[in-house]
Amino acid sequence: MVELGRSLQVVDVNSDRSFALDEAALRALLTPELRALPVAVLSVAGAFRGGKSFLLDFFLRYLNASDAERRSGAWLGGEREPLTGFGWRASLDRCTTGIHIWSRMFPMTLSNGEQVAVVLMDTQGTFDNESTIGECTTIFALSTLLSSVQIYNIKGDLGGDNLQHLQYFTAIARLVQDNDAGYPFQHLKFLIRDWTSDVVNYPHGAEGGRRLIERVLQVRPEQPPQLQELRRDLRSCFENIDCFLMAHPGYNVGTQGFQGCLADLQPEFRTCLLELVPLVLAPNRLVVKRIGGQKVTADEFIHYFKNYMDLFNSGNLPEPATILQAAAETGLLLATEAARAEFANHMEQCAGARPMAPAAVRRIHAQAVAAARELFTARRLMGNRQNIDQALARITTEFEGRLQDFITINEANMGKAYNEAVNQYVELVLGTTAETRLCVGPAALEDAHNAAYATVVQGFKDMFEVTSSDNETKQLIRDINARYTSLVQINEMNNSGHLSGAVNEYVSEMNRQTEGQPCMSTSLLNAKHASALQAAMDFFKSKRNHSSDSSHCDSYLERLERDIVNNQLVNYVRLNKANTAAVVMAVVSNYKDRMAQVFGMHMKCVPPRKFVEKERDVRVQTRKMYQEKIEVAEGEPDSHWVEIERTIDQHCAQVQENNVELNIGAVNAAIEQYRKLMDNKTEPYPALLRWVLSPARLIQLSLDLRRYHQASKTEAIAVFKARRRDELIEPNDYYYEDLKAKIIELHKRYKNPLQIMAIELSNPLLGHDVMSGLNNDDSDD
Ligand code: GDP
Ligand code: MG
């Protein structure tokens, strides 16, 4: 048999004779499993050294025993097992006045299945020689008030003075009856120790006790009136009064070394214990503590203990009315607290951080008030009905007053939930689109909005058990739509910002590719534009924080392209046009300048092949210059050069024509020179021949003519050469050959002196016949 726990002194007497309550020790009884259970409080009171503690140790053995041990009686313990527990003592020195409690409560199941907690209470110093009457009465009264079974331990016989001690309680009882609150006290058991007298009529045990108490409480006419009254009052004071006659334990109890072992106790005493203890503690016998008819829980027991203690400490023995009032007040207080706890318990769901529909708060609150009121009214309460009704009205008002608090809390929670829902919405939208800065295509933003909207609104509805038509949801939808509007604006702003960044990217890319001064073919410019546009698009897309955006048609990209084409590209096109036009002009005029340098000096001509050669050089230079200035893609048809060539071809034709004319002029001038020289020489011929016509003379003249021809020809060629630039004659020179042919042709006229004369005389036939033998001399040049 294992005994757990120890005896705790919870009430002590101070040096000033006031009582000290060790509330902490008392509270230590309240284990979480037992604190809410109704208590059965067993107290033993009576004179010092009456064997109270000794007896309680047997109660402890019973409580610690198993069901089987209880049934078999083995709970009584071993023959040689020393009795321990509350600390009974063999010596005469007195223990301190006070109340001891076993340090733990014992859970027991009543025969009706109800769970209770059993408290064992030991009192000391009651009605002994040394304690003052006040102290003793106080301890006795206190233990009677607090217990459900008070065992009044009396040694020897039940005398009239024992009843006198109970006078005090009868006064309380009378008051209680006036209040119609049932019995104020519960079981009172007179336990007569060492019962030896008249064991024939009053045998040991419950039956003998019943007979004895019948006799003692009998009202008889010869008794003084106040004793008659006392007996009557006691009957109505305790719900149950009985008596038990204990046998003497035997004379070993007084001997040295007595340890309370069963072996040292008389069999009659053991029989009494086996009958007495289950009578008090068996499941069908245990009495639950009630005050004013209301069952008292372990928790409440401590409250009553404290309140009664205060009462008894306030001076003399308190007036019965005061005790009653204290009991009523405590009962009312506990009922109020219980109602508050019930209310709080119901309202817990509204006080949490989780908001609910406002209608639900009102509904739960109404239920909580009803439940709390029901709990309050279900309790049996002592005292003034009006006070009880007032207390109920007060807590009802108090609970009603709390409604606004809960509504406010709920509203705050609701506000928080709105914010959280809206934040969740924003997070969802940004989560599927961005880490930080929102920049997505409008369609992507709308998709993200729709998805987040659906999730958040549904989550909100589920949380509050509200529908779409409820104001709460409507409010949330308004908030979310407002956030969407602002997200759209932010997105628009960010997109626009990046659009201008992208345009800058285009411009700098174009400037890099064209060095700021585009001068190129249109197709090359277009190619550069396309690659710069791509760079701008890539730049813009890199600022986007939504990768799955590509499936959407993106108005911003369209806008970017439009903006670049309309506002940027046109500038480059215009500039390129102006630049290329200037270059074309410069190239053409450079050609003309070079041509003038080559052909235009001193109006001199050049041979035809030389002309072509020189012009080709100029053209190559011009082309080179052109290529340096205008960029053209490889393999691309070069429209600017075609245009330039058209112009320079025209110019070239003019210059060439001029050269031809100069060459023709040079030939003519040379022929003229030849003719003039030959004419001069042959002018005297007709006169000469008319007068001196002889063969010798003719031969002489012919030889002269040949000489003249050579000299004139040389002169003529010199004239021709002088008109040529650098006196240049090229092989197979067309004009030179022409000149020579023309000289030969003309020379024919100056070959035959007779012919010359005939020509002078206008008879060419004559001259021809005469000179036919002298003509073979033109092969000398
Ligand atoms: P308490 O002061 O009332 O708590 O008395 P105790 O339990 O300390 O017992 C005082 C003495 O009485 C001890 O020596 C016990 O052995 C002895 N005692 C216990 N029960 C009885 C009894 O029924 N009759 C007699 N005569 N002595 C008892
Ligand atoms: Mg004792």
Side-chain angles (χ1 to χ4, degrees), residues 746-774:
L746 199 54
H747 179 214
K748 286 177 183 163
R749 287 173 61 182
Y750 302 102
K751 260 183 178 168
N752 188 343
L754 288 177
Q755 194 184 354
I756 296 167
M757 194 178 72
I759 290 165
E760 287 289 317
L761 298 173
S762 302
N763 185 357
L765 283 173
L766 178 71
H768 180 74
D769 291 341
V770 173
M771 297 303 293
S772 58
L774 298 168

Side-chain angles (χ1 to χ4, degrees), residues 606-624:
V606 289
R609 281 207 302 286
K610 193 74 184 171
F611 180 90
V612 172
E613 198 178 290
K614 290 258 176 199
E615 196 274 341
R616 195 186 302 122
D617 285 350
V618 171
R619 205 175 271 250
V620 166
Q621 291 300 314
T622 306
R623 173 83 178 158
K624 217 170 127 197

